[in-house]
Amino acid sequence: ASAAPGFERLDCRPLLDPRLGAGSAWHDTVRGRVTSAWGADPDGRRWFELELPSGIQADVTTPGQPTQRVGAGRHRFEQRP
């Protein structure tokens, strides 16, 4: 969800629930494309990836972890089983 005008900052709260399986999504913003993907490794570790274009920051909150603010680039967040 956009947390600031013009997608300057996003609020991401992925649910790393194994019932969701794996998937991906994208959204074109005025600043460029935001992509996300989620899934699980063979060892049961759940993960979430987020790719942000230049000019966007995101506050990412995964279950049981403090919120992390990230900027442009690809970011991976993991949750152990």
Side-chain angles (χ1 to χ4, degrees):
S2 182
F7 289 91
E8 184 177 336
R9 193 174 77 249
L10 302 176
D11 183 21
C12 297
R13 297 172 188 236
L15 298 173
L16 300 178
D17 188 321
R19 295 173 295 177
L20 296 176
S24 63
W26 55 266
H27 182 77
D28 287 327
T29 75
V30 296
R31 297 175 187 273
R33 181 168 283 188
V34 173
T35 62
S36 63
W38 56 89
D41 291 334
D43 64 1
R45 184 178 311 174
R46 305 290 303 160
W47 54 266
F48 172 71
E49 290 182 347
L50 179 66
E51 188 168 359
L52 302 171
S54 180
I56 295 182
Q57 293 184 327
D59 293 331
V60 181
T61 307
T62 55
Q65 298 296 318
T67 299
Q68 298 179 56
R69 181 164 288 176
V70 296
R74 175 171 261 158
H75 308 279
R76 183 178 173 104
F77 305 88
E78 296 182 352
Q79 182 181 43
R80 298 186 187 276

